[in-house]
């Protein structure tokens, strides 16, 4: 239920730009009702099971946070709302953060979680990720194709980070209060630790996109990384991937984190959940 007409997501990024660490990121969303939470030790993460979940299909959810923050716990509420909207059990995977863990450690971790789901679940698997979680989602799909693993049914990419060189023109045109080129390039440098920012498994814009599954991108129309989604969608179409991109007016990075508290986040999560379900139930 939407409880505010304010934009708590923009307010959070404005606070971060001032160096403030409150409010906590996870408090943007409301608690998703009736979603059962089960902690898993190996692979580390959280099962989020909505009431009357479909038997078989699953969603592998990969959190964002620039590889320096975020976690399955921080993203639990938002991914719980997504699980409810899809009616599908969702596994939010945990992975290591920089500087202790760098590329390709995070990709290895989410790949191991995907392999585990392939052996433990009986139905198709979709992959969802926000920001750098979307970076990993595309890398995971490309790796699955190249390693002859069963392909995911679909990819849901929220405020995707696809260009680790931060060359998009929307850094100069939007009203994003936090994500500057300098900041994003710094996050990329920490993740890459000397690796090529155009490595196809690190940067989705430089991946071979042929053969990837249907993909749905959502982005805020005011976010600095908007061109990351636009350019990935363009290149996916060139590679004959079925792709959809929705841009939400007035919104900045990862606005879906306010699920349950803003109408636009609820709309986006609802659309995403319905689309995921359509790709998992044929």
């Amino acid at each position: 239920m939407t409880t505010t007409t304010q934009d708590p997501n923009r307010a959070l990024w404005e606070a971060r730009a001032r160096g403030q660490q409150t409010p906590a990121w996870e408090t943007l969303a409301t608690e998703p009702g009736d979603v059962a939470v089960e902690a898993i030790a190996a692979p580390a993460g959280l099962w989020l099971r909505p009431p009357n979940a479909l038997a078989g299909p699953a969603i592998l959810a990969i959190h964002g946070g620039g590889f320096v923050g975020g976690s399955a716990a921080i993203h639990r509420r938002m991914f719980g709302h997504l699980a409810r909207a899809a009616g599908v059990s969702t596994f939010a995977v945990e992975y290591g953060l920089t500087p202790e863990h760098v590329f390709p450690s995070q990709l290895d971790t989410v790949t191991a979680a995907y392999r585990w789901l392939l052996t433990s679940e009986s139905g198709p698997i979709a992959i969802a990720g926000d920001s750098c979680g979307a970076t990993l989602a595309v890398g995971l799909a490309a790796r699955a194709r190249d390693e002859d693993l069963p392909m995911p049914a679909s990819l849901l990419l929220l405020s995707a980070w696809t260009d680790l060189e931060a060359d998009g023109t929307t850094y100069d045109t939007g009203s994003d209060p936090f994500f500057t080129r300098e900041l994003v390039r710094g996050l990329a440098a920490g993740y890459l630790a000397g690796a090529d920012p155009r490595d196809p498994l690190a940067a989705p814009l430089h991946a071979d996109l042929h053969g990837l599954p249907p993909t749905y991108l959502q982005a805020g129309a005011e976010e600095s990384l908007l061109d990351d989604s636009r350019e990935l969608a363009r290149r996916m179409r060139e590679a004959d991937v079925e792709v959809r991109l929705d841009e939400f007016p007035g919104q900045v990075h990862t606005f879906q984190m306010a699920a349950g508290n803003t109408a636009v986040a609820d709309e986006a999560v609802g659309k995403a959940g319905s689309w995921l379900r359509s790709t998992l139930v044929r």
Side-chain angles (χ1 to χ4, degrees), residues 7 9-10 219-223 248-253 255 262 264-265:
D7 186 349
N9 183 61
R10 182 182 287 272
E222 292 292 315
E223 68 170 290
F248 290 78
Q251 299 305 302
V252 294
H253 199 61
F255 66 94
T262 68
V264 66

Side-chain angles (χ1 to χ4, degrees), residues 4 10 14 17 30 57 62 88 146 150 168 173 238 268:
T4 179
R10 182 182 287 272
E14 288 172 347
T30 63
I62 309 174
V88 174
D146 294 344
T173 59
E238 289 181 348

Side-chain angles (χ1 to χ4, degrees), residues 20-150:
Q20 299 171 353
Q21 296 308 305
T22 55
W25 201 11
E26 60 268 32
T27 65
L28 292 187
T30 63
E31 284 287 350
D34 301 324
V35 174
V37 180
E38 179 189 2
I40 300 295
L46 298 174
W47 268 118
L48 309 173
R49 301 188 189 275
N52 302 314
L54 292 172
I59 299 168
L60 175 62
I62 309 174
H63 70 80
F67 297 114
V68 299
S71 67
I74 288 171
H75 281 64
R76 175 185 61 79
R77 293 183 181 183
M78 190 266 280
F79 285 146
H81 281 282
L82 180 65
R84 286 193 70 202
V88 174
S89 294
T90 298
F91 182 70
V93 62
E94 203 71 83
Y95 57 82
L97 303 176
T98 62
E100 290 82 5
H101 302 270
V102 298
F103 175 77
S105 167
Q106 292 87 344
L107 183 58
D108 292 341
T109 297
V110 300
T111 302
Y114 182 65
R115 288 179 177 273
W116 172 72
L117 283 174
L118 288 173
T119 61
S120 61
E121 300 300 308
S122 60
I125 298 167
I127 302 174
D130 68 289
S131 193
C132 71
T135 312
L136 294 172
V138 178
L140 171 52
R143 179 177 273 183
R145 178 202 58 210
D146 294 344
E147 296 183 1
D148 293 325
L149 295 174

Side-chain angles (χ1 to χ4, degrees), residues 196-249:
D196 185 352
R198 297 193 172 198
D199 186 302
L201 288 180
L205 279 195
H206 302 287
D208 176 4
L209 302 171
H210 290 87
L212 294 197
T215 300
Y216 179 23
L217 297 105
Q218 292 183 347
E222 292 292 315
E223 68 170 290
S224 296
L225 279 71
L226 175 56
D227 270 353
D228 287 47
S229 290
R230 287 175 170 173
E231 184 63 12
L232 181 65
R234 185 187 70 81
R235 296 188 186 197
M236 282 185 155
R237 292 186 187 103
E238 289 181 348
D240 295 322
V241 175
E242 179 186 331
V243 63
R244 166 183 172 184
L245 168 60
D246 284 350
E247 301 176 15
F248 290 78

